Amino acid sequence: MKTRITTIFAVASIAMAAFAAGPQDKMDNPMVGGAAMMKSMDIVGNAVSSPDHTTLVAAVKAAGLVDALHSKGPLTVFAPTNGAFKLLPDGTVDTLLKPENKEMLTKVLTYHVVAGLYDSKAIKVGIHKGNGTFTLKALSGGTLTFMMNGPMNIVVKDEKGGIASISTYDVYQSNGVIQVVDKVLMP
């Protein structure tokens, strides 16, 4: 009986410790693509660490935007995953990565970046105040429109009418925040 009580106490202690540490650790360093995103790192440093964003990182390098994303910020980046890039028509990514298409690549990438820090709370407040929609001006000059899809999910509508869902919210960085999206937004 004493062994059973000791075992129950041990299991309860482990569970309480995991509960106490787990959510806070995840909030401090959320996982993206199986890699911890560190608040102390900037947008580029964390994107490079994410196995889900290798295409985005290659595109940022090809467009010469690494220094811009290393800036003090704050910036909000709507970061498409590798899977999002795969949804584009065949050959689109290869075409955009060609040196002669750098201007178009830059326009597409800067369409995913907004000056300022827009976490999910700020976006939801904007949607509420805007009676169901909230718009932000991207660095490219284009407009992104935010709406709710159900009670919890924020979606982003691009200028071509495409809709992307935010799949991972509020990945805070030293110079802003990343919102992971499941589609590439098109200006």
Side-chain angles (χ1 to χ4, degrees):
M1 181 70 153
K2 187 176 183 180
T3 304
R4 186 173 178 200
I5 291 171
T6 304
T7 303
I8 291 170
F9 179 73
V11 170
S13 296
I14 292 168
M16 286 173 48
F19 178 76
Q24 185 64 35
D25 289 345
K26 288 179 184 174
M27 287 176 15
D28 286 345
N29 299 308
M31 301 295 280
V32 176
M37 300 289 106
M38 306 300 211
K39 284 184 182 180
S40 60
M41 294 177 67
D42 67 16
I43 290 166
V44 174
N46 274 320
V48 167
S49 299
S50 169
D52 281 353
H53 291 92
T54 56
T55 304
L56 177 62
V57 169
V60 166
K61 288 177 181 178
L65 294 173
V66 172
D67 288 341
L69 293 176
H70 272 305
S71 73
K72 183 178 178 184
L75 299 171
T76 300
V77 176
F78 298 93
T81 61
N82 294 339
F85 281 100
K86 287 179 183 176
L87 295 174
L88 293 172
D90 287 344
T92 302
V93 174
D94 291 335
T95 299
L96 285 171
L97 291 176
K98 290 181 180 178
E100 62 268 22
N101 295 323
K102 183 177 178 180
E103 185 177 321
M104 178 51 127
L105 176 62
T106 300
K107 185 174 181 176
V108 169
L109 293 174
T110 58
Y111 189 61
H112 289 80
V113 183
V114 175
L117 193 133
Y118 292 93
D119 61 13
S120 60
K121 183 178 179 182
I123 295 170
K124 285 179 182 178
V125 166
I127 292 169
H128 178 72
K129 285 182 178 180
N131 294 317
T133 62
F134 177 56
T135 59
L136 289 172
K137 186 85 116 174
L139 292 185
S140 68
T143 302
L144 297 169
T145 303
F146 300 84
M147 301 163 285
M148 297 301 297
N149 179 18
M152 302 297 291
N153 189 39
I154 299 172
V155 295
V156 188
K157 183 177 179 183
D158 65 26
E159 291 180 334
K160 301 238 187 259
I163 304 282
S165 289
I166 298 177
S167 57
T168 304
Y169 294 87
D170 303 335
V171 184
Y172 294 101
Q173 320 289 299
S174 64
N175 62 340
V177 64
I178 291 176
Q179 307 290 358
V180 178
V181 293
D182 65 354
K183 300 237 172 57
V184 176
L185 302 165
M186 298 305 284

